[in-house]
Amino acid sequence: MTDLGRLDDLPQAYVDALRAHNLLPLWPSLRAVMPADRPSPRTAATLWRYSDIRPLLIEAGRLTPIEKAERRVLVLANPGHGLDRMQASPSMYLGMQLLLPGEWAPAHRHTPNAVRMVVEGDGAYTTVEGERCEMKRGDLILTPTGLWHEHGHEGKAPVVWLDVLDLPLVYYLETSYHEAGPTQVANKNPLRRSSAYHASGLAPTKYLKRHTSQYPMLHYAYEKTRQSLDRLASQGEANALLTFINPETGSDALQMLGFYALRIGPGQHCRLPAQSSAMVMHAIEGCCDVGWSIAGQSETNLGRLDLADTACLPGYVSIHLSNPNADEACYLFLADESPLHRKLGLHETRA
């Protein structure tokens, strides 16, 4: 490969003249922005342990009342991007959010798309465009771009959930903002609730007219997700993978990020092939050992993903998962940027 000229090869007076006109030479930086053969991701393989996060999150609840926080969140920042950047990957933001009994996080809407994966506790709810979604462990709740949503807690113990947003992308595009709004009124139309989509392949209908919307299903109950995973596993392979989709169109549940549920059978192994997108993993039940590798190189061990732990791996790496438990299956929530990559024509997988 040809060695390109460096910036310090140029006379300083010439460099100063370029900068005076808001110009810079490409060739000294060309290999950095377009490296050979594969990208050089900044996203670092990172594991956030819930046992470390939870006491600090509970302490945040003591130190900062909800009125001073609006959303009480600890951001899971990837060190490869810098802790002040508030991002886990190029397009994904992660945060652990705490709501204490009796608290209410007021209604607002924003341009970034968001989902909530419930980590622990019960008695809390999220209301999205009038649909009240009761929050139970493992549930996935969507708050898409532009939809009003608020959170409340009527239970007796702390409730924690994992936020996943496409905030880094929306912020980079200079389109990130929020609006405050009034308390929502619960919608009483049963056809406009996620529970109307009770069975796959069936859509709610009234007098031969179907109600359709861009986001017809906002609440994916873990009870049904787990049943579906177990049913798939019982029909052949011990491992099963499901995609959270829009039940009206079959497309991904949200526009930019993809969300999945993975079951790894007792004592089983699973390999996720290398793809262009970064991958986030969160343990809903059980545990698994996580390793990753780049083609032609030896495997790197990230560690064990225990209950409620969260991890992020960069794109273009093969991911190796194994369930050390010989008696119980492991259930993971996954998130990636593949819908965005496909829209941009950049998505690829490698052996």
Side-chain angles (χ1 to χ4, degrees):
M1 183 180 297
T2 304
D3 290 332
L4 301 180
R6 299 177 303 173
L7 187 63
D8 55 14
D9 293 335
L10 300 172
Q12 188 60 47
Y14 178 71
V15 174
D16 292 342
L18 290 176
R19 290 177 173 168
H21 295 285
N22 299 314
L23 301 170
L24 76 160
L26 171 62
W27 58 94
S29 303
L30 181 59
R31 296 287 186 248
V33 296
M34 285 192 288
D37 302 323
R38 64 182 300 274
S40 300
R42 294 179 59 188
T43 302
T46 307
L47 173 60
W48 295 272
R49 298 206 175 277
Y50 190 58
S51 59
D52 296 329
I53 297 172
R54 191 183 190 281
L56 295 171
L57 195 55
I58 297 299
E59 181 71 359
R62 188 187 68 82
L63 295 172
T64 306
I66 193 67
E67 296 78 14
K68 293 291 186 179
E70 186 174 333
R71 299 306 196 255
R72 192 189 293 107
V73 180
L74 294 183
V75 179
L76 279 57
N78 190 299
H81 291 280
L83 298 184
D84 58 334
R85 297 291 295 275
M86 294 200 303
Q87 60 189 105
S89 75
S91 301
M92 286 188 286
Y93 156 104
L94 302 176
M96 283 287 181
Q97 185 162 171
L98 169 70
L99 201 63
L100 295 174
E103 290 186 334
W104 177 69
H108 70 189
R109 62 181 180 180
H110 42 65
T111 46
N113 293 281
V115 303
R116 325 293 173 180
M117 167 55 57
V118 184
V119 176
E120 73 161 272
D122 54 37
Y125 62 89
T126 293
T127 304
V128 189
E129 289 289 312
E131 179 179 342
R132 176 166 163 146
C133 306
E134 304 294 338
M135 305 180 79
K136 299 183 182 299
R137 185 173 63 89
D139 286 3
L140 180 69
I141 299 172
L142 310 186
T143 56
T145 178
L147 297 194
W148 294 105
H149 57 279
E150 61 191 56
H151 311 293
H153 191 354
E154 298 171 346
K156 298 181 179 179
V159 169
V160 177
W161 63 84
L162 174 69
D163 291 324
V164 186
L165 285 75
D166 56 11
L167 176 61
L169 170 67
V170 178
Y171 181 78
Y172 177 78
L173 295 174
E174 299 183 356
T175 55
S176 180
Y177 70 95
H178 91 284
E179 295 178 84
T183 301
Q184 296 185 73
V185 177
N187 184 357
K188 297 182 179 180
N189 183 352
L191 297 186
R192 300 194 64 181
R193 299 177 194 156
S194 299
S195 58
Y197 294 88
H198 185 73
S200 59
L202 298 174
T205 306
K206 186 175 183 180
Y207 305 124
L208 301 182
K209 182 178 181 180
R210 282 171 50 199
H211 167 77
T212 58
S213 67
Q214 188 174 10
Y215 302 103
M217 190 167 178
L218 299 169
H219 186 190
Y220 298 77
Y222 178 58
E223 179 183 9
K224 292 182 180 180
T225 302
R226 194 182 192 279
Q227 288 173 356
S228 298
L229 288 170
D230 290 341
R231 188 178 300 113
L232 275 177
S234 69
Q235 294 174 357
E237 298 183 10
N239 301 331
L241 179 64
L242 292 171
T243 303
F244 292 98
I245 65 168
N246 180 321
E248 294 279 355
T249 65
S251 59
D252 289 285
L254 287 182
Q255 295 287 324
M256 299 304 174
L257 303 181
F259 306 101
Y260 317 88
L262 173 64
R263 179 192 192 272
I264 306 174
Q268 297 296 310
H269 303 269
C270 177
R271 176 183 176 274
L272 303 178
Q275 63 163 352
S276 52
S277 167
M279 176 69 74
V280 166
M281 296 166 285
H282 174 79
I284 303 174
E285 283 189 70
C287 64
C288 71
D289 295 318
V290 182
W292 58 277
S293 62
I294 299 172
Q297 300 182 20
S298 59
E299 180 176 331
T300 299
N301 178 35
L302 182 62
R304 178 161 295 180
L305 201 66
D306 288 315
L307 179 65
D309 288 352
T310 305
C312 182
L313 288 168
Y316 293 93
V317 303
S318 177
I319 301 173
H320 312 275
L321 306 172
S322 60
N323 182 356
N325 194 321
D327 301 315
E328 297 180 355
C330 171
Y331 298 86
L332 302 179
F333 167 67
L334 310 179
D336 71 7
E337 303 153 329
S338 59
L340 171 63
H341 286 209
R342 285 193 290 268
K343 286 179 171 64
L344 295 175
L346 298 173
H347 187 259
E348 62 175 315
T349 57
R350 298 189 177 187

